[in-house]
Amino acid sequence: MLDEQQWSDYSRDGYLRLGRVLEPTTVTELCARADDLALGRVRNPAIEMQLDTGGAYEALPGAVRSFAEGTLRYRKIQGLESDPLFSPLVRHPLIAEICARVYGAHAPVSIFRAMVMNKPAGQGTFLPWHQDGGDVWKLDRDPLVTIWVALDPATRENGCLEVVPGTHRLGLLSAHGSTVAPQEVERHCPPEAVRAVEVESGHAILLHNWLIHRSGINPSPVSRRAFTACYMDGRTVSTLTGDRFPMAFGSDGPHLDLPYVVQLRADQRAITTSLRVALGHRLRGLFRRAS
């Protein structure tokens, strides 16, 4: 249980150390599971992975179902809410308590993403100052809760998280969200305000999604793996599809099917059908000309 002083500290800083949430044996199991998924020794059709190329953040490749060749030089493995080993961590009682405090005890809570983020030894991608929210996420409301759990010790030497305490109270600095503009970095992220958040293996951090944060590369000889999950009000829907997301706490129900969501889904089905018909006509025309 978090006490009122901890909630006050979180309200002030936008992040809070939660202490140990995983025992060493569980950490070892989860690290092995992530490696097995990346190497292709375990398959899960709900999982997607992204390579770490060590270059610019903007040049990272897209996520794929599996790598052509198994590798441990991955940047992320996502979709872990569907994995039997990671699922208990996704639904940890302390996280349920936090979500109930933030979203209300009455509210169902869904999971936007649950993943292992990795900075491979001697590599890693520099993640610039950013906020986790905005139009780029394609959601009808902003998530507010992220839990970050160190699997390997996170240190200054291997690219630990860096934050600017209190910046969550600025709100989103742009409607688009994500990377913070250079002029905003100059204004809100002076070097003296930056705090490195070193975390022991098995220990967790609560982060407000609007907190400005970043992480560096990993020149050290050891990897820096962490589990991270983003939780949101269970009524949240994708603005692209009208779909909701997997439930973490509470239950889904028909009362969440708002009229505009039903219409959005119907519109999407109509557009998809129209495109398929048009593509079929186009292909038949090409075949006729070729014969």
Side-chain angles (χ1 to χ4, degrees):
M1 296 285 290
L2 300 183
D3 60 33
E4 289 306 313
Q5 183 59 55
Q6 289 174 299
W7 280 112
S8 177
D9 293 344
Y10 173 67
S11 179
R12 179 193 66 217
D13 294 335
Y15 78 100
L16 181 70
R17 294 181 180 274
L18 299 175
R20 179 177 295 280
V21 298
L22 294 176
E23 294 302 319
T25 53
T26 304
V27 171
T28 299
E29 291 172 355
L30 295 183
C31 287
R33 182 66 161 198
D35 289 352
D36 284 344
L37 287 165
L39 292 171
R41 294 194 290 241
V42 173
R43 300 285 183 177
N44 182 336
I47 297 294
E48 291 187 330
M49 296 175 279
Q50 182 187 46
L51 280 172
D52 188 298
T53 53
Y57 172 68
E58 296 78 11
L60 283 165
V64 295
R65 294 293 182 188
S66 61
F67 298 132
E69 296 183 6
T71 178
L72 296 181
R73 302 187 79 79
Y74 62 89
R75 177 173 178 264
K76 67 180 179 181
I77 302 173
Q78 62 190 29
L80 293 175
E81 66 275 9
S82 69
D83 184 87
L85 269 66
F86 279 94
S87 182
L89 178 54
V90 171
R91 294 168 176 82
H92 193 284
L94 179 59
I95 302 174
E97 175 199 334
I98 289 168
C99 289
R101 173 73 177 239
V102 173
Y103 294 117
H106 67 285
V109 174
S110 57
I111 184 86
F112 177 63
R113 60 186 184 186
M115 56 191 180
V116 166
M117 298 292 293
N118 180 37
K119 289 184 183 290
Q123 192 168 292
T125 297
F126 178 79
L127 188 61
W129 289 117
H130 66 285
Q131 297 174 296
D132 290 339
D135 294 344
V136 68
W137 281 37
K138 306 301 182 187
L139 301 171
D140 72 339
R141 69 199 78 190
D142 281 313
L144 299 175
V145 174
T146 289
I147 302 293
W148 196 97
V149 184
L151 299 178
D152 301 302
T155 67
R156 288 176 173 85
E157 289 72 29
N158 67 11
C160 72
L161 196 69
E162 293 182 302
V163 304
V164 184
T167 50
H168 65 298
R169 288 183 273 115
L170 298 170
L172 286 177
L173 296 178
S174 74
H176 181 71
S178 193
T179 304
V180 176
Q183 64 271 22
E184 299 287 7
V185 170
E186 183 176 359
R187 180 180 178 187
H188 299 297
C189 309
E192 64 272 15
V194 176
R195 190 174 299 173
V197 184
E198 295 186 300
V199 187
E200 298 175 54
S201 175
H203 287 233
I205 302 288
L206 165 62
L207 297 167
H208 193 292
N209 276 41
W210 297 347
L211 182 70
I212 299 176
H213 59 289
R214 71 177 179 183
S215 61
I217 61 171
N218 178 13
S220 81
V222 295
S223 62
R224 196 230 70 183
R225 290 164 292 185
F227 171 83
T228 180
C230 177
Y231 298 85
M232 53 195 182
D233 187 308
R235 292 161 289 195
T236 304
V237 298
S238 165
T239 57
L240 291 177
T241 66
D243 291 333
R244 292 192 299 275
F245 295 82
M247 286 293 140
F249 309 111
S251 59
D252 201 346
H255 63 287
L256 299 181
D257 281 320
L258 303 176
Y260 89 93
V261 174
V262 174
Q263 186 60 50
L264 180 62
R265 290 176 182 150
D267 292 345
Q268 184 196 34
R269 287 194 296 271
I271 292 170
T272 300
T273 300
S274 177
L275 289 173
R276 286 175 178 166
V277 170
L279 179 60
H281 289 325
R282 174 70 172 163
L283 290 174
R284 284 192 291 272
L286 290 173
F287 289 143
R288 282 196 294 269
R289 286 195 292 271
S291 58

